[in-house]
Amino acid sequence: MKDIGLSQRLLASSQANRSIGSSLVQLPLTQKNSMHFYFLVPNLFGFKGGIQVYSAFLIQALQKYYPDAAYDVFLKYEQRSPSSDEKTSFLPQTQFHCFRERVYDTRRWQRRFKTIHSCTKIVWAAIWQRPQLLVLTELNYYLVVCQWVKRLLGISYWVVVHGLESWDLKNSAYKAALQTADRVIAVSHYTRDRILREGYLDPAQIAVLPN
C-alpha cells in the first residue's frame, strides 16, 4: 500500500499552507481517485465571515490536488441549498447537505431534534461511505461526532481551531475529542501557543495554517 502525504498536497496549494509541513498525518491510499473527504462546516453560502472563508479555502485547496476524489460537505447552519452559481466554486462531485440549524433557536425541542438528526446522518453516512478523512472547521458538538466515528470505524479526523472558542476550554468532552484528533489546526501561532499552555495537547499534534 502506498502512502500519499495529504499534508504535502495541501502544503503546495498556497504559500499560507507552508506552516503545516510534512508532519501532518499521512493517509494510507491505494489510488488517488479512491479518496473521499467529509467536511463539517458551520455554513458557506448564507453568511460570509472568517470561518466561512477559511472553510471554503480549505475545501478548494484539497480539491485542487484531489480532483477525482468524492466530497461531502455537511453544513450545520445553512438555511438553503446552494445555487448553481455558488456551486461553481467547488468541484461538480461535491455534495452539500444543509441541516438548517439556527445559532439562536429558542425552540428547544426543535433544536434538539435537528441536532440528533444531523449527528445521526453524519454517522450513518460515514458507516455507509467510509471516507478517509473528516475535517471539522469549527469547534462545536460535531467534534464529539468525529470522535465517535473514529472509535467506531477508525476514520481519521482533523479539527480547525480559530481563537476564543478554544481558549481556556472547559468542556471535558471537547478536550477529550481534541486529544484523539489526528491533527489540530490552529489559525494563528497565538492560538496554538495558548492551547499548548493549557497542557492537554501534544505539541506535535497541533500545527498552524494561518487564515
Side-chain angles (χ1 to χ4, degrees):
M1 180 176 292
K2 182 180 180 180
D3 282 341
I4 298 176
L6 177 58
S7 59
Q8 306 259 344
R9 300 286 186 180
L10 188 57
L11 174 69
S13 67
S14 146
Q15 290 184 348
N17 294 5
R18 286 181 299 178
S19 58
I20 288 291
S22 59
S23 64
L24 283 181
V25 63
Q26 291 192 335
L27 304 176
L29 310 177
T30 54
Q31 294 181 7
K32 186 176 177 180
N33 61 6
S34 69
M35 286 296 290
H36 194 162
F37 297 101
Y38 276 15
F39 281 87
L40 283 59
V41 181
N43 49 354
L44 289 175
F45 307 106
F47 174 78
K48 290 290 184 183
I51 293 176
Q52 288 74 22
V53 172
Y54 188 97
S55 300
F57 165 78
L58 203 56
I59 297 169
Q60 291 162 353
L62 218 57
Q63 292 190 337
K64 179 177 179 180
Y65 290 96
Y66 291 93
D68 298 318
Y71 296 88
D72 281 87
V73 182
F74 298 89
L75 299 160
K76 188 173 186 285
Y77 298 119
E78 204 70 67
Q79 299 299 306
R80 58 172 178 82
S81 299
S83 67
S84 298
D85 288 342
E86 289 170 328
K87 289 181 180 180
T88 58
S89 298
F90 304 93
L91 291 176
Q93 68 267 31
T94 308
Q95 300 295 315
F96 297 99
H97 311 270
C98 302
F99 291 131
R100 297 178 172 83
E101 296 186 40
R102 296 186 182 277
V103 178
Y104 302 107
D105 194 339
T106 57
R107 298 165 296 181
R108 183 177 300 178
W109 66 270
Q110 187 167 353
R111 185 173 69 249
R112 288 181 177 176
F113 173 79
K114 288 184 176 180
T115 298
I116 293 169
H117 172 260
S118 62
C119 293
T120 302
K121 182 170 181 177
I122 292 167
V123 172
W124 278 110
I127 291 172
W128 179 258
Q129 295 178 321
R130 301 299 175 99
Q132 278 75 31
L133 179 67
L134 281 66
V135 182
L136 176 64
T137 66
E138 181 191 48
L139 199 63
N140 55 47
Y141 59 76
Y142 285 169
L143 176 59
V144 179
V145 174
C146 290
Q147 185 184 40
W148 291 345
V149 170
K150 182 175 183 178
R151 287 177 176 175
L152 182 64
L153 304 172
I155 296 172
S156 299
Y157 67 96
W158 295 357
V159 184
V160 178
V161 291
H162 295 269
L164 285 171
E165 83 288 354
S166 61
W167 301 343
D168 300 319
L169 190 62
K170 305 300 183 186
N171 189 311
S172 59
Y174 283 14
K175 277 188 177 181
L178 282 171
Q179 289 172 331
T180 57
D182 294 87
R183 180 61 58 184
V184 177
I185 302 173
V187 303
S188 69
H189 289 279
Y190 178 82
T191 290
R192 180 184 187 273
D193 294 344
R194 183 155 179 168
I195 291 173
L196 289 177
R197 284 199 299 269
E198 295 179 28
Y200 64 89
L201 284 183
D202 187 325
Q205 188 184 7
I206 182 168
V208 177
L209 179 60
N211 55 8

